[in-house]
Structure formats: C-alpha cells, structure tokens
Amino acid sequence: MEENIPLDHLNHKEGGLDPALEPLAGNGDALLSVRAPEDEVDVGTPCNNGAISNVYRIKRELKENLKPWMVAVAILVLIVAVIILSVVICSAIHEDVDDKFDRSTFVIPLRFNGSFQLPNMVFTEELLIISSSESQALTAELQDKLAELYTASPALGRYFSKAEINSLRNGSIIADYELTFLMPEETQGQLRNFTLSREMVYNVFRQFLYDHELEDSAPTYIDPLSLNMFGRMW
C-alpha cells in the first residue's frame, strides 16, 4: 500500500522547509508546480519562471511555423545563387580558344573584286581623275565603309586586310572595288572553301547593305541590288 508522507516531514531535510515555500506547504500540487522539468531548466542557473516560459513558447512557435516548403525554398535559392555565381566567375575568366590566333602567320593573300552603284550621286569628269580632290574624298569614304563592315564581321574580321576603290565611272556612279584577305598557310584550303568563299564574302557585304543602308537618300547610299562580286584572285 502506498504510504502518504505528510508535508511536515519535509522540514526535517537540512533544517526545515525553505521559508519561500511555506505558503505552498498546504498544497502539494502548487509546490510541485514551481519546479520546472529537469530537461527545461539548467540546474544552478538563476532565472524566473516567466522568462523560461517565454523562451520555450518562442521555440515552440518557431517549430510550428517553420514549414517544409520554407526549407525547400531556402535550399533552392541557395542553389540558384551558387549557379549564378559560378556562371559569372566562369564568364570572367573564360578565354575563347578560337580567339587565340597569331596574325603574323596570316601571309597568304586572297582577293575579290567587284562593283556597286551609288544611285544618288551624279557623275562628273573630275571623278575620272584619281588624283582629284573630289575623287580622293569619295574613294576614301567608300574604302572606310567597306573596311568597317568587314572588320566588324565575326567570321571574316580577323582575315580582312584592306579594301580599295580602283575606279569611279559613269552610270550614276559605279565604283570598282577590290578586297584583300590574308590567311594562314596551313588552313588556306579550308578557308577558301568555306569561311572565305565567294558566297560568304558576298553575303556579308550584301547583308550589311540591307541592315545599314536605311537612308536611301544619302549621297553615298549603295544600292544592294547593284552589288557584284567577281570570283577571287590570289
């Protein structure tokens, strides 16, 4: 049979009941309630019951409010951040192998010649004289335009050497041009057949005219339909 021990016997331990607990001596439940569970209170740490209650309430609320999808989203954001950072770093240090070339090895010339028309300009006899100021000014402007379009080409820019206007003749004004490209000796066969084929060089010129010659009233407007390119010479 379970033996009931009067609360008065608690006074026998080390000189009697703690005076602070005397008002609770008549109520066993109240006495026990002031003792926090052993796993919640650090023995020997002075703290009041209200603070302990608040701490565990906050912990409980955090556990209840932390949903699994929040954890998944946090992990996903971290993964995306790592991927973006890796791409940025790789882009910064990446060096395109195709951009490594030694221009001094480009020694084999490949030339194309042809003609185009400037429909907005009126031909004058002075243009027939190559040394005249009018002829030199127009020739320099046209050569710069051709050099600009081929230098800017991702496929042909590295091989382009120069553009020359050989003559200006009547027919509104018809300009005869010559283009020179330089190739490495070891890959010249492949370049002639593909990258520097007549079709490629011609199409780059024609596409430039369609994309950039929007002001068809400009004096140096080149009519795309008048563009001719005659084979290749080397």
Side-chain angles (χ1 to χ4, degrees), residues 119-136:
N120 297 334
M121 298 193 71
V122 178
F123 181 80
T124 64
E125 293 296 327
E126 188 175 2
L127 291 174
L128 290 174
I129 305 173
I130 300 298
S131 60
S132 68
S133 59
E134 184 179 352
S135 178
Q136 287 185 348

Side-chain angles (χ1 to χ4, degrees), residues 73-94:
V73 169
I75 295 175
L76 180 60
V77 170
L78 180 61
I79 294 174
V80 171
V82 171
I83 292 175
I84 293 176
L85 181 61
S86 301
V87 170
V88 170
I89 294 175
C90 290
S91 298
I93 65 175
H94 176 69

Side-chain angles (χ1 to χ4, degrees), residues 54-74:
N54 289 335
V55 168
Y56 284 96
R57 178 176 57 80
I58 292 173
K59 288 183 177 180
R60 184 173 63 253
E61 291 178 354
L62 286 175
K63 290 180 180 179
E64 292 175 352
N65 294 329
L66 188 60
K67 307 297 182 182
W69 67 265
M70 292 182 179
V71 177
V73 169

Side-chain angles (χ1 to χ4, degrees), residues 110-113 192-193 196-198 230-234:
L110 179 62
R111 299 182 178 91
F112 299 86
N113 63 350
R192 284 196 181 101
N193 293 330
L196 292 176
S197 64
R198 184 261 177 195
F230 312 120
R232 57 194 179 187
M233 305 177 298
W234 55 84

Side-chain angles (χ1 to χ4, degrees), residues 48-229:
N48 58 59
N49 293 333
I52 294 175
S53 177
N54 289 335
V55 168
Y56 284 96
R57 178 176 57 80
I58 292 173
K59 288 183 177 180
R60 184 173 63 253
E61 291 178 354
L62 286 175
K63 290 180 180 179
E64 292 175 352
N65 294 329
L66 188 60
K67 307 297 182 182
W69 67 265
M70 292 182 179
V71 177
V73 169
I75 295 175
L76 180 60
V77 170
L78 180 61
I79 294 174
V80 171
V82 171
I83 292 175
I84 293 176
L85 181 61
S86 301
V87 170
V88 170
I89 294 175
C90 290
S91 298
I93 65 175
H94 176 69
E95 185 177 7
D96 190 349
V97 175
D98 195 44
D99 286 339
K100 292 182 178 180
F101 58 90
D102 184 2
R103 193 64 186 270
S104 65
T105 64
F106 293 14
V107 295
I108 306 299
L110 179 62
R111 299 182 178 91
F112 299 86
N113 63 350
S115 64
F116 53 80
Q117 187 178 36
L118 307 173
N120 297 334
M121 298 193 71
V122 178
F123 181 80
T124 64
E125 293 296 327
E126 188 175 2
L127 291 174
L128 290 174
I129 305 173
I130 300 298
S131 60
S132 68
S133 59
E134 184 179 352
S135 178
Q136 287 185 348
L138 180 56
T139 295
E141 185 174 356
L142 294 175
Q143 288 176 166
D144 289 344
K145 178 179 287 191
L146 270 59
E148 178 184 355
L149 79 91
Y150 280 110
T151 301
S153 170
L156 307 182
R158 72 184 62 181
Y159 306 109
F160 177 75
S161 177
K162 63 180 178 178
E164 297 177 284
I165 301 298
N166 294 327
S167 65
L168 300 169
R169 49 194 173 88
N170 198 1
S172 293
I173 292 179
I174 296 176
D176 296 311
Y177 66 87
E178 181 177 286
L179 306 172
T180 301
F181 297 86
L182 295 176
M183 307 172 293
E185 185 173 4
E186 62 274 15
T187 58
Q188 59 175 301
Q190 182 179 1
L191 289 172
R192 284 196 181 101
N193 293 330
F194 298 101
T195 306
L196 292 176
S197 64
R198 184 261 177 195
E199 291 75 15
M200 176 69 79
V201 176
Y202 173 79
N203 287 333
V204 168
F205 196 162
R206 185 176 61 176
Q207 190 61 49
F208 174 87
L209 297 180
Y210 280 117
D211 291 344
H212 296 83
E213 299 289 88
L214 302 179
E215 298 182 7
D216 55 6
S217 60
T220 57
Y221 169 78
I222 299 175
D223 181 5
L225 298 178
S226 70
L227 180 62
N228 292 308
M229 187 172 289

